[in-house]
Amino acid sequence: MKLNVLLAVFWRNFTSYFSSPVGYVFITVFVLLSSAAAFWTPEFFNSNLANLDQLNTYFPYIMLVFVPAITMSIWAEERRQGTDELLLTLPASDFDVVFGKFFAALAIYSVSLLFSFFTSLIVLASLGTPDFGLFLATYFGYWMIGMAMISVGMIGSFLTANVTVAFVLGALFNVPLVFAGSLEGVRFLPLAVTDFVTTWSIGEQSRDFFGGVISFSAVAYFFLLTAVMLYACMILIGRRHWLGGRDNASMGPHYLGRFLALLVIVASVSVLLGRYNLFRLDMTSEQLSSLSGDSVAFLNDFDPEFPVKIEAFVSRDLPEEFVRKRFDLVSALREIDSIAGDKVEVRIREVDLFSDEAARAEDKYGIESQEVETKIRGARTRKDIIFGLGVTSGLQKVVVPFLGKGLPVEYELIRSIATVEDSQRKTVGVLQTGVELLGGDGPGNDNEQAIITELRKQYEVVAVDPNEPITDSYAVLLAPQPSMLSAPAMKNFVDAVKRGQPTAIFEDPFPYLDNRVRGTGRPDMRAMMMGMPPQDPNVINQLWEALGVSLVTATGESSSQFSPPQESPAIAWQDYDPSPVFGSFVTPQWVFASPASGADDAFNPNNSAVSGFQKALFLFPGGLRSTGSVVNREIEPLVKTNDDSGVIAYSGLIDEPIPGMARMKNPSEIREQQEKTDGQVWLAAYIHTDGNGAANASAGAAAADGGISAVVVADIDILYSVFFALRERGDDPDDVVRWDLDNVPLVLNIIDFLAGEQQFLNIRKRRPQHRELERLREINASFKQERDQAREKSDEGFNEAMDAERKRLEQVLDELRSRQGLTSQQAAQELMIAGAAGEERLEARRRQLERKQQQEIRDIDRRMAEKTRDVQDTIKTLAVVLPPIPPLLIAIIVFFARRRGESEGVSSERRV
């Protein structure tokens, strides 16, 4: 190799491209197409992410046009002008000529890419704070794609002397690399064939770069592909040596065989390097494409009896609201595939709704399409999509039928792998207290709660009858509202707790989401109405005595003979609103446990089950306190309120003039009854026998020697499906509030902690943070503020009208109570009849007002959607029109400079 000759060839080709405006025009077109692909589509705004996901999809297709424009004149122009003979007579090898021209083409492409790099970065930076590491890795991927496609396109130029034919051939030779990734779902090809071909596509090999990862396997693929194609160019430039040899015998078949053999060797080496990936550099600022240390340790250590197979089924036209989840899923699967090696086989299937792959997903895994709400050009619509995965190993199978936007992908994957690998699942017992977590026969309660469905993915779940002695051992005994048990059942339950059965107790003085559940200390009104002897509301004291904790009590005034005793379990409150847009529907009894509330120890930093959580919502919870009655109990608070908190008695919240007609008091009345406590209120606590457990150790070990191991949570609402629905829904930019709650992982961590399962505790706490279009969110926030003010005004009118109707009903009831000459039975009957009629009128009025309010809100939303579309149209127009201007200005300058240079020395008479 002669470096001076190589540089001379390089410089000649490089300068010739930029010496005329044509080169800059091509760059202008390239930047225009790139900007349009990145920012013009509605998906860019719907996804609300400061990245180039949309450009990633279209970039290989843009390159099918741009790369041949660079490579078409590499050698075809030399042959057309006859300068190829001059080059070949220079004291230079074929290597010098080919690589000089290749590096020139690559430098031209690099300059073009730099224009796109800076313009895209400026656009994203003006709209948000892009992740520079992700951005850099993405453009490095673009550069690698260009390098490989240029080497392929050069072959077309070496085959012909016609520049147009060279352009066509350069595009055609690159088509298989680009479109190979689109073969999935082609019906006439076997699945194994499409999987194999897709693996070698440019799009598939670039996924690491687009996810912010620079991996050894991807870099090796592009360099090896480039090397093979440059070798083919060297063969073609040397045709004068082998086209006709002795006796005119062509060496073409020989060189073709050498090229094909080299191609097979390089493909084998690429596969080998892919299996033994030497490095994977996650360039993202938040390490979005990396697994947590616990996941990596698990994948390195686990040794399945049968290989684990993961198949993810993702709709090809997935709404952009799911783009973050798709990013997380693909990144996690590629990391798992890289770390686990032969132990895990990963396949990502892009499917259409009615394709064979979709049918196979339903038949094999029960993964069906789900209807989701999406937004197109600011307008809400609904769409059916497929977005689930199945994990198998031998006969074991775990299915996640739908990955909602809020589901933690890494946890779902690692938990599924661990579950299919372990054929012996632990058992969780659910105490039958009257709370129908497992489902029941009542209206609307036919199906089990989501917490049970979630636990079944990891444990065997069985019902436990407390009316019989609890002799079996369970990994965890889940006890919802044990205060509803009879005295004999409570004794059996307490005996199991004392025996060392790890137990998760959820006891709530004010069940907010299910009015069929009786609050702690509340009389059994259902039994009283049916003439049955009520259960003792103080039966729960047996449990408190065994544990050494109890619920905080408060003193309240009795509003009638139906009110609870003056001293009763209290409801906790806290003055903290995590978001100013929550609005008036949030009361102080919606307790948000969060370090952001001013309580750094809101989640015990020394307990592995809860440390690191950010926010959990407890609806009208109770408070816990240590009774100090048991000396060998260690009690560790797990969740606390901030210092600006306290408790309120049940009667301070509720007016209950007659049974079944309870009414929440006005906010001003409630605030008058709130009692501020001295310090924080405990919402959850871990109780174990002193010396048998530690906060950072397995809680299961605490019970190994017969010691008590229990977690008490002063809220049962946290178990209900609404929090699972909020988690699955995820964040939506148009939501009135951004919930972003840790309720679900908190409950699951408590169960795992008690069961001695440590491997998922930290994984559940991980929250990938994607960079958003902050500027766009600010614009939308201003629109939403206007919309929310209009909604609040509508709500005020609605509430005023409903309050007036309620006052009318109370007046009627007061008149009935004041009537003389009625027996108590007649009075009760009159009250019940009048109350039912009043409630019916109230319901009719409520429906009428709701229809009016909904129409007003629809009108508001329509106006806001129109404003949002106008802003988006302005932004995307500027984002597409402005970036091509710099190279276009340079082209104009070069054009006039060249014209001026051509006219110098020419007499004025000869100038046109």
Side-chain angles (χ1 to χ4, degrees), residues 145-293:
I145 291 173
M147 178 185 69
M149 293 183 70
I150 285 172
S151 68
V152 175
M154 284 176 61
I155 297 177
S157 186
F158 278 102
L159 286 174
T160 180
N162 187 298
V163 176
T164 303
V165 175
F167 180 94
V168 174
L169 291 177
L172 288 177
F173 291 160
N174 276 297
V175 161
L177 293 174
V178 174
F179 283 91
S182 304
L183 289 181
E184 189 171 2
V186 177
R187 296 187 177 186
F188 62 83
L189 290 176
L191 185 61
V193 173
T194 57
D195 284 345
F196 176 78
V197 174
T198 301
T199 302
W200 296 101
S201 68
I202 280 181
E204 182 66 23
Q205 294 292 335
S206 304
R207 285 184 183 269
D208 281 342
F209 299 127
F210 298 161
V213 175
I214 297 178
S215 64
F216 179 75
S217 61
V219 171
Y221 166 84
F222 285 104
F223 272 114
L224 290 172
L225 176 61
T226 302
V228 172
M229 296 306 156
L230 291 179
Y231 175 73
C233 291
M234 291 177 62
I235 293 176
L236 292 174
I237 199 176
R239 282 187 296 178
R240 64 191 185 280
H241 301 304
W242 55 261
L243 190 58
R246 183 180 301 175
D247 301 327
N248 290 325
S250 175
M251 296 288 290
H254 169 76
Y255 279 101
L256 178 61
R258 289 174 63 176
F259 172 74
L260 294 177
L262 181 61
L263 195 62
V264 172
I265 292 171
V266 167
S268 303
V269 171
S270 180
V271 172
L272 184 65
L273 295 178
R275 287 181 177 272
Y276 300 97
N277 213 347
L278 298 183
F279 62 82
R280 287 179 63 84
L281 303 179
D282 188 352
M283 304 289 288
T284 59
S285 301
E286 283 81 15
Q287 297 295 289
L288 297 176
S289 297
S290 297
L291 299 178
S292 64

Side-chain angles (χ1 to χ4, degrees), residues 719-741:
L719 294 177
Y720 278 79
S721 299
V722 61
F723 291 108
F724 288 82
L726 285 174
R727 180 186 68 154
E728 185 168 327
R729 174 181 173 82
D731 178 39
D732 189 320
D734 286 341
D735 279 347
V736 178
V737 298
R738 301 184 69 177
W739 296 100
D740 201 20
L741 299 174

Side-chain angles (χ1 to χ4, degrees), residues 157 299 637 844 889:
S157 186
L299 292 172
L889 289 176

Side-chain angles (χ1 to χ4, degrees), residues 320-475:
E320 288 302 314
E321 289 89 346
F322 285 81
V323 67
R324 306 181 197 195
K325 193 57 56 182
R326 178 172 55 190
F327 181 99
D328 294 338
L329 177 64
V330 172
S331 298
L333 287 174
R334 294 185 74 86
E335 285 292 308
I336 290 172
D337 189 35
S338 174
I339 295 170
D342 293 336
K343 295 184 290 187
V344 177
E345 178 186 348
V346 173
R347 286 288 181 268
I348 303 173
R349 314 285 189 192
E350 291 191 351
V351 300
D352 296 314
L353 282 181
F354 303 106
S355 64
D356 292 340
E357 281 295 289
R360 196 172 72 85
E362 183 175 355
D363 294 339
K364 185 174 181 180
Y365 299 106
I367 297 174
E368 300 178 349
S369 62
Q370 300 281 337
E371 188 181 61
V372 298
E373 189 177 68
T374 184
K375 185 172 67 173
I376 299 176
R377 297 279 295 161
R380 288 285 176 179
T381 185
R382 303 196 70 82
K383 185 175 185 178
D384 288 329
I385 64 171
I386 297 173
F387 195 36
L389 59 92
V391 183
T392 59
S393 178
L395 297 178
Q396 298 295 316
K397 179 167 66 176
V398 172
V399 177
V400 181
F402 188 74
L403 281 167
K405 288 184 293 183
L407 288 184
V409 169
E410 180 181 347
Y411 162 66
E412 292 289 339
L413 289 171
I414 299 299
R415 190 270 314 278
S416 299
I417 293 172
T419 301
V420 298
E421 183 236 353
D422 185 7
S423 58
Q424 300 296 323
R425 298 190 187 185
K426 293 183 178 180
T427 302
V428 169
V430 180
L431 196 70
Q432 299 296 84
T433 61
V435 179
E436 297 291 353
L437 295 183
L438 291 171
D441 299 328
N445 198 24
D446 299 328
N447 300 319
E448 62 190 17
Q449 291 290 331
I451 178 63
I452 303 300
T453 305
E454 188 74 16
L455 289 175
R456 291 191 194 278
K457 298 176 182 178
Q458 183 178 348
Y459 299 96
E460 295 292 338
V461 179
V462 298
V464 178
D465 184 3
N467 295 308
E468 301 292 335
I470 303 173
T471 57
D472 293 336
S473 295
Y474 307 95

